[in-house]
Amino acid sequence: MEPPVTGPGSRSGRFSTRNHGSFYTPDSVARVMAEWASRARPLGTCKLLDAGAGGGILAETALNLMTRSSDLEIHLVESDPVMARLLEIDSRDWSGAEQAQIVTHDRDFFRFASEMLDRGRRFDIVVTNPPYQQLNSSSAEWKFLRSLGIKVSNAYAAFLWLCTDLLADDGTLIALVPRSFFNGKQFEALRRHIFNRTSLTRVHTFESRSAVFKRDDVLQETVIVEIRKSIHSPPTIRLSSSSGPDVSDDQGRLLPTDQVLWPNEYGRVIAVPTQTDPPDRSSWPLLPKAFPTLSIATGSVVDFRFPHAIRPHGQATDGFVPLIDANFGHLRIRDSSRRPPREITVSDETQRHIFPPGNYVVLRRFSPKEQRPRLRLQVIRESDCSTEGVAFENHVNVLHSMKRGLTDETLEGLLPFLQSEDANLQFQAISGSTQVNVSDLKLLRVPPRDGNI
């Protein structure tokens, strides 16, 4: 949902965004999305839907560019009754409004979409900047979506799910959304749903996480995606990028679809290679195949669950092992964030979290887009462990071998790869959030041992 604000593209006053999880679409971004829409349906009959219309900037800008359509029908869906009424009034004065049929729906989008689907109504163009809001499992919205078979935890994901369902054959969805759905298990169901019905045809990224919604202090990485409902999957996907919200209609570059859509255990993920001409890595083995004895897991110690068992490291008492967290050695990002090393007691309660003495590699789980390198790692040597072993906190990922230390041979091959530019470029391409997910690490492809890394 896109709230109206004072300024170009809106005639309404400022509306609170925090309570709705929604943010105003910058004019330059709205124009590019509208240009994509106009090219997708340049002539003839067109039914356009603005899902979560807010002040209507997406539909209004599209209308200005689509006046050649002989039969243009625009549906604006807005759940806030005051905004919906303002939108209904304002849309009458839009440039080109006299050439289009404009209908404002004062409705919750989820229920509107369900009704349209039941009635067999579909749309040629769908544009949306949906709310970025978590769905509480006790909320009416979450329960309603579950009744439709939609299993997502975020409102924007539900919007994407329903918007793809509402596309007519050869219809196009253009959405300004968080990049987080590109990868990870959390959005597996959404990606499977999208790719079973539609095809990704274009992605526009922003180099700065804060650029698009800077006025609202939003640090979520945001992208523009174009998705089409077609029986034919395109051989290429167009990628473009800009440094900030002042987006030009840069045509970007075309990459083979298999370089953008990567298969993994949680369904295909969307990669955005930063290299102009990325190498063909398809013949390279995935990380777990390159090192058959390698296991990857998130540290299992959640410190607030063991306040009685954790203490500062170094007290001369047996029965404790070092607790490796995100502030250990090279893992910390800033010296000011460092806290004294900690250790955890060995007991029946904690025994399952303790690894035997050995060599391990740990990776910090938090990795902002701007951080270089993205993969920040530390080797835990057997000398760092106590005689009883070592434990890992849940802010790190640990690379091990069946819950035992790694062999010297594995370390000799693994470390140069993880510290290489290529590994970091691969991770940067697939990471849609600030998290280093285990599933993302398993997608990394390792070059031949005699290759350059």
Side-chain angles (χ1 to χ4, degrees), residues 54-66:
I57 188 173
L58 292 177
E60 181 182 8
T61 309
L63 173 60
N64 291 336
L65 298 174
M66 297 179 69

Side-chain angles (χ1 to χ4, degrees), residues 109-395:
F109 175 68
F110 300 155
R111 287 164 177 78
F112 169 85
S114 176
E115 182 180 314
M116 292 297 102
L117 292 170
D118 287 344
R119 291 167 53 185
R121 294 289 302 276
R122 298 296 187 270
F123 298 88
D124 304 301
I125 301 288
V126 180
V127 292
T128 186
N129 171 12
Y132 304 177
Q133 192 173 41
Q134 287 294 118
L135 294 171
N136 191 307
S137 60
S138 63
S139 67
E141 292 83 358
W142 188 89
K143 293 175 181 178
F144 179 74
L145 290 168
R146 285 292 170 126
S147 73
L148 301 178
I150 300 176
K151 299 178 180 180
V152 295
S153 58
N154 194 293
Y156 91 79
F159 266 70
L160 282 178
W161 187 300
L162 289 166
C163 285
T164 57
D165 286 348
L166 287 168
L167 288 176
D169 291 342
D170 295 321
T172 301
L173 164 65
I174 299 162
L176 177 65
V177 289
R179 186 180 167 184
S180 52
F181 86 93
F182 278 21
N183 65 316
K185 185 176 181 179
Q186 179 183 358
F187 296 99
E188 173 193 2
L190 172 62
R191 291 194 304 274
R192 290 187 187 277
H193 184 81
I194 290 174
F195 294 131
N196 284 342
R197 292 160 175 77
T198 58
S199 299
L200 179 70
T201 53
R202 184 162 185 178
V203 177
H204 183 91
T205 60
F206 300 90
E207 294 176 15
S208 171
R209 284 185 297 148
S210 61
V212 180
F213 299 120
K214 186 174 182 179
R215 66 187 299 164
D216 295 300
D217 195 29
V218 175
L219 294 180
Q220 174 81 276
E221 185 174 357
T222 311
V223 294
I224 307 172
V225 294
E226 179 185 82
I227 294 170
R228 289 186 178 173
K229 185 175 181 179
S230 173
I231 59 173
H232 301 294
S233 180
T236 59
I237 294 174
R238 189 175 296 277
L239 302 181
S240 55
S241 180
S242 62
S243 58
D246 296 328
V247 183
S248 63
D249 191 24
D250 177 16
Q251 290 301 299
R253 56 201 169 102
L254 289 171
L255 285 182
T257 296
D258 61 7
Q259 289 192 20
V260 180
L261 299 182
W262 295 5
N264 83 335
E265 61 187 305
Y266 300 124
R268 283 177 287 184
V269 301
I270 304 171
V272 184
T274 56
Q275 297 161 285
T276 303
D277 187 20
D280 181 4
R281 303 183 180 95
S282 58
S283 64
W284 298 2
L286 294 170
L287 185 61
K289 296 290 186 181
F291 302 97
T293 62
L294 182 69
S295 303
I296 310 173
T298 298
S300 59
V301 176
V302 181
D303 56 4
F304 67 80
R305 293 178 180 168
F306 298 97
H308 55 286
I310 297 174
R311 69 179 189 181
H313 178 61
Q315 299 181 29
T317 308
D318 293 333
F320 282 81
V321 300
L323 176 61
I324 308 301
D325 61 19
N327 288 295
F328 185 89
H330 298 302
L331 296 177
R332 68 179 185 275
I333 295 177
R334 294 177 296 273
D335 287 341
S336 60
S337 68
R338 188 178 185 183
R339 63 185 173 194
R342 299 181 297 167
E343 56 190 22
I344 187 169
T345 186
V346 179
S347 66
D348 291 342
E349 181 185 20
T350 63
Q351 187 62 55
R352 66 187 181 91
H353 301 287
I354 296 173
F355 289 65
N359 298 322
Y360 302 92
V361 176
V362 289
L363 287 158
R364 188 184 180 99
R365 286 185 64 203
F366 177 72
S367 175
K369 179 182 179 180
E370 299 79 13
Q371 176 182 296
R372 295 294 182 273
R374 291 295 304 275
L375 299 176
R376 190 175 292 267
L377 62 86
Q378 173 77 44
V379 179
I380 307 301
R381 299 288 181 182
E382 187 167 354
S383 58
D384 296 315
C385 307
S386 75
T387 57
E388 295 178 89
V390 64
F392 301 94
E393 194 232 18
N394 73 324
H395 289 100

Side-chain angles (χ1 to χ4, degrees), residues 3-6 10 12-18 22-24 215-216:
V5 300
T6 302
S10 173
S12 304
R14 180 70 174 171
F15 185 83
S16 171
T17 62
R18 293 294 179 189
S22 46
F23 303 93
Y24 168 71
R215 66 187 299 164
D216 295 300

